[in-house]
Structures are given as C-alpha cells and as structure tokens.
C-alpha cells in the first residue's frame, strides 16, 4: 500500500494509506473528510475546555450581556436548571459572558480532560513521524469518545444551542469564524503532488507511479488558492546534518592549514642552534641513551 503524507501548506497533518490502483475521486473525498474531521475534533476539544471551566453555553440572546442587562431585559436561561452536570456544580463566572458559570465538579472535569487527551492522541500529527496511517474511523472514534464523556458528565444532555452539541449533530454554524476558513468543502477540495493537481476520476498511479510500497507527500487546499509551494529538495533534518558536516570539514581544513604553517619549525634551517653545533663539530653527533 502506498502512503500519502498529507500536508496543508508546510504543516504535516496525517498519513493516508491507499493503493496506487485506487480511484482519485475516492482518495480526495477520504482525505478531505479526515482533514475536516480532525478540525472538528480540535474545535470540540476547545469548547470542552471552556465547558470544564464555565459550564454550558448561555442562550444566544444572553451571550455577552452583563447581569444588569439580563435583569433589565428579563431574560432567563431555562436550560441552566435542566442541564446540570452529574454531581452538581460550583459557580465560576465566565468573564466572556458565553457560558452560565456552572462549573462541573473536579471528578467530572477529570473525565472530560482525559477524554480530550485520548481523542487528540487518535489524530495527533506525531503519528506522521511514526508512519502510522490515519483513517476516517479513527476520527469517528475520537468524536465518539468525546461524546461519551459529555454524556457521562451531562446525562440530561447539553442545551440544543450549545456549540458542542451542535458539533456532534453536525449543525454547527461556522460563518464568520476563523474555523470557517480552515474547513474545506468536499466539492472545492484539491489534492496536489509534485506541483501537479491530482484530478478526479483517475487512477492514482497516473500521478504517483506504480510502486505500491512507497511514501509520497501530497498537499490539500481549496479551489482558487492556486498550486501550493513545492516541497524543499532538502528536509530540515538533512539541512542540519549537511551544515554540521560542512562545519566539521571547515574545522579540519583550518587545522591542516595551521599544521602546514608550523611545519617549517621541524626543518634544520629553522633550528636556532644549528650554526653553533656546526662550529663545534657536533652537527652529526647522535646520542644513544644507556651506552
């Protein structure tokens, strides 16, 4: 099976395993789904971090309002009494005014933290260095792990307007957010290899060759972004090794040059006592120790 090392720009994301005889339409669709799925996992984890600290989301009409404004407008969070974390809560007011301030108890917080840690490990970029492929089912497992932890802590579920619940139900609205710029719509996804776009409805071997036991770098982007930059001829690790070797060689040359400069000191004409020995007829005298 060929390994496709997927990048977005210069950032390593994951490795996708497939066959050179696979259809490029299927490959592009799968890689795009994994790419977007990883983003979803990280978005959910980011919101769970806020949930751990400040509880569930306030209704949209209350978000960002001060306590005085809420009283003045006679608004009430009807979900605060329904969606109470298991074991109760402690009050920890959200300075951003996004969440209701009902922080889960420490034991429940630990459950959520452990779930986040495990979920992130399923899709970690470190898997690239380990040459471990990532599949769509791994992304689903990460999301299911997070969903299960939320169910344990909030057996009555989260409010329908909570971003985490919306993410799980695929009803999230990312318009106007930074996340919307990161997500790639399947219909607009493009895959590139060696500066050449991999077109749909082709066989993968048309682009990467027929060697089914190799690893190549492909880059994903959106329509309209143009061709991504080509891979550097030398990797960062190779460049560092070459610089270290060049420095070592330079130091060797310096040492040899210094040795050559001092070599004349071993010559007889450079001996300051040579003339004196000749005058006394001791120029060719050799001494033997012990005789």
């Amino acid at each position: 099976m060929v390994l496709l090392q997927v990048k977005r720009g210069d950032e390593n994301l994951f490795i996708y395993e497939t066959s050179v005889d696979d259809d490029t339409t299927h490959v592009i669709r799968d890689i795009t789904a994994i790419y977007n799925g990883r983003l979803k996992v990280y978005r959910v984890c980011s919101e769970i971090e806020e949930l751990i600290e400040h509880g569930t989301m306030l209704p949209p009409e209350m978000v960002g309002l001060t306590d005085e404004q809420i009283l003045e407008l006679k608004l009430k969070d009807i979900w605060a009494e329904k969606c109470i974390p298991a074991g109760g809560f402690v009050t920890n007011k959200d300075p951003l005014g996004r969440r209701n301030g009902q922080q889960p108890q420490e034991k429940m917080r630990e459950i959520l933290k452990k779930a986040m840690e495990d979920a992130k490990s399923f899709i970690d970029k470190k898997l690239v260095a380990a040459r471990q492929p990532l599949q769509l089912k791994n992304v689903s497992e990460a999301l299911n792990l997070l969903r299960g932890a939320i169910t344990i802590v909030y057996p009555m579920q989260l409010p329908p307007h909570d971003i985490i619940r919306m993410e799980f139900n695929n009803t999230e609205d990312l318009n106007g957010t930074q996340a919307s710029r990161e997500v790639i719509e399947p219909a607009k996804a493009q895959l590139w290899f060696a500066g050449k776009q991999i077109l749909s409805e082709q066989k993968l071997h048309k682009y990467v060759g027929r060697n089914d036991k190799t690893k190549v770098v492909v880059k994903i982007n959106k329509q309209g972004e143009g061709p991504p930059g080509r891979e550097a001829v030398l990797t960062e690790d190779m460049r560092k090794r070459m610089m270290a070797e060049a420095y070592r060689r330079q130091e060797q040359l310096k040492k040899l040059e210094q040795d050559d400069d001092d070599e004349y000191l071993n010559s007889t004409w450079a001996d300051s006592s040579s003339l004196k020995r000749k005058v006394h007829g001791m120029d060719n005298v050799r001494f033997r120790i012990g005789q």
Side-chain angles (χ1 to χ4, degrees), residues 206-219:
K206 178 179 178 180
Y207 299 93
V208 302
R210 292 188 175 275
N211 185 354
D212 216 3
K213 295 183 179 180
T214 188
K215 180 169 77 74
V216 299
V217 174
V218 297
K219 295 191 174 184

Side-chain angles (χ1 to χ4, degrees), residues 4-178:
L4 304 183
Q5 182 176 329
V6 181
K7 285 188 168 186
R8 178 78 157 115
D10 293 326
E11 182 184 10
N12 282 314
L13 299 178
F14 57 90
I15 288 180
Y16 177 77
E17 186 178 42
T18 186
S19 168
V20 293
D21 294 319
D22 204 352
D23 188 270
T24 54
T25 302
H26 173 261
V27 172
I28 296 171
R29 183 180 67 244
D30 252 20
I31 288 178
T32 305
I34 294 173
Y35 170 82
N36 288 331
R38 290 180 75 255
L39 293 177
K40 178 184 280 288
V41 171
Y42 285 119
R43 289 198 305 270
V44 171
C45 286
S46 177
E47 289 297 334
I48 290 179
E49 289 176 358
E50 295 297 318
L51 176 72
I52 288 173
E53 294 298 321
H54 306 294
T56 61
M57 289 281 294
L58 288 168
E61 64 273 14
M62 295 177 63
V63 172
L65 298 181
T66 64
D67 292 340
E68 292 76 13
Q69 290 172 324
I70 291 174
L71 287 173
E72 183 180 348
L73 295 172
K74 298 180 180 179
L75 299 175
K76 183 179 180 181
D77 182 8
I78 61 174
W79 297 97
E81 298 177 359
K82 299 179 181 179
C83 304
I84 297 176
F89 63 87
V90 293
T91 301
N92 186 16
K93 188 175 177 60
D94 184 2
L96 299 179
R98 294 178 69 241
R99 297 184 172 273
N100 64 11
Q102 295 180 352
Q103 182 184 36
Q105 296 287 351
E106 183 176 357
K107 184 178 180 180
M108 296 296 106
R109 296 201 298 268
E110 290 303 318
I111 290 175
L112 293 174
K113 289 178 181 178
K114 183 64 168 59
M116 284 194 298
E117 181 181 343
D118 291 343
K120 288 179 180 179
S121 70
F122 288 172
I123 60 171
D124 201 300
K125 290 186 291 186
K126 293 179 181 178
L127 297 175
V128 175
R131 296 175 68 93
Q132 184 173 337
L134 183 66
Q135 299 178 350
L136 193 55
K137 69 176 184 179
N138 301 129
V139 177
S140 297
E141 288 171 358
L143 288 171
N144 288 336
L145 183 62
L146 296 172
R147 186 183 288 108
I150 290 293
T151 302
I152 292 173
V153 179
Y154 289 90
M156 301 303 293
Q157 294 192 331
L158 297 174
H161 55 266
D162 195 291
I163 293 178
I164 298 172
R165 181 171 173 177
M166 295 172 70
E167 287 279 8
F168 287 149
N169 294 335
N170 295 319
T171 57
E172 70 276 14
D173 182 10
L174 301 179
N175 290 328
T177 66
Q178 177 62 32

